[in-house]
Amino acid sequence: MGLADESAVVRVLIVDDEALIRSGFRFVLSVDPSIQIVGEASDGAGAVAFVRAHRPDVVLMDVRMPGVGGPEATAAIVSQCDTRVLAMTSIDSEDQLLHMLSAGASGYLLKDESPARIVDAVHRTAAGDTVVSGRSTAHLVRRAVASEGGPGRLDAEERVSVLTERERDVAKGVARGETNQQIGAALHISAATVKSHLEQVFVKLGVRSRVQVGIILERAGLGPTDL
């Protein structure tokens, strides 16, 4: 599984139960010629069906929708393909955010962010980065794992055990919320080399996002509080 090529056109699916919101996102994203809106869906079930058929690069996913909600749709999407999910909500709720990140969302953004911020977030999500509105990724990962009540420790330890020492170092940097450039500086390697190692981390851990890497390391006792 490779991280998205930042120079490529990013294919986006917009999911929201309000037509006006979908139109607004379409207008905001259409000003960037390197973003292509490939479809819209009004609920989670429609989003899952569209992704199965068309495999967009990024899904802008509303969190609260009638029927199949954002967390359920996100979990279904990331379990079957490389499409990345960026959660979008009008409510700055940490509980909602934890549910979306645990389900496999690559990030979380408020709907009233500036157009430039939303466009940038789409590109960053496609490139494999974590986008979180005004919050510490490491803090949210710890909260997500704590809210589970502690299950998954042995499974996480087993999954982490297959990483090489350098891959584990990269994964720890990701768990701290660091960028590829920051990880590379700490390990005295290039950002491109970090990206290559991170691709292998994704494959070996069976995850789709940097947040999921952090969650697995936290479950295994290797999160930022244990470093």
Side-chain angles (χ1 to χ4, degrees), residues 9-161:
V9 171
V10 180
R11 301 171 64 250
V12 177
L13 168 67
I14 300 171
V15 184
D16 198 289
D17 60 324
E18 295 189 31
L20 185 61
I21 298 295
R22 297 197 304 272
S23 296
F25 283 143
R26 178 178 284 274
F27 176 78
V28 166
L29 297 178
S30 65
V31 302
D32 187 331
S34 63
I35 293 177
Q36 178 186 7
I37 309 301
V38 295
E40 298 180 10
S42 60
D43 57 30
V48 173
F50 186 95
V51 170
R52 284 199 187 108
H54 302 287
R55 303 298 174 94
D57 300 306
V58 175
V59 176
L60 291 189
M61 180 73 75
D62 189 16
V63 176
R64 301 178 64 182
M65 295 177 288
V68 178
E72 296 83 2
T74 296
I77 287 169
V78 302
S79 70
Q80 61 186 280
C81 68
D82 292 345
T83 296
R84 301 182 188 280
V85 175
L86 178 60
M88 304 293 294
T89 184
S90 57
I91 303 173
D92 191 8
S93 164
E94 188 165 281
D95 287 341
Q96 284 189 8
L97 173 52
L98 295 177
H99 287 148
M100 288 298 290
L101 296 183
S102 295
S106 294
Y108 179 97
L109 207 62
L110 296 178
K111 292 179 182 178
D112 61 0
E113 294 278 4
S114 69
R117 169 74 164 148
I118 293 172
V119 169
D120 177 67
V122 167
H123 282 294
R124 289 179 57 194
T125 300
D129 290 342
T130 298
V131 179
V132 179
S133 280
R135 295 180 181 272
S136 162
T137 302
H139 164 72
L140 291 167
V141 165
R142 289 194 294 271
R143 281 288 311 277
V145 174
S147 69
E148 297 172 343
R153 175 79 179 237
L154 292 179
D155 175 69
E157 290 177 343
E158 183 175 338
R159 292 164 80 176
V160 170
S161 70

Side-chain angles (χ1 to χ4, degrees), residues 140-190:
L140 291 167
V141 165
R142 289 194 294 271
R143 281 288 311 277
V145 174
S147 69
E148 297 172 343
R153 175 79 179 237
L154 292 179
D155 175 69
E157 290 177 343
E158 183 175 338
R159 292 164 80 176
V160 170
S161 70
V162 304
L163 301 179
T164 66
E165 182 177 356
R166 181 47 56 88
E167 289 167 353
R168 188 174 301 197
D169 288 340
V170 168
K172 287 178 178 179
V174 169
R176 289 190 293 265
E178 296 173 355
T179 65
N180 287 359
Q181 289 76 12
Q182 290 170 328
I183 296 170
L187 298 178
H188 306 291
I189 57 179
S190 70

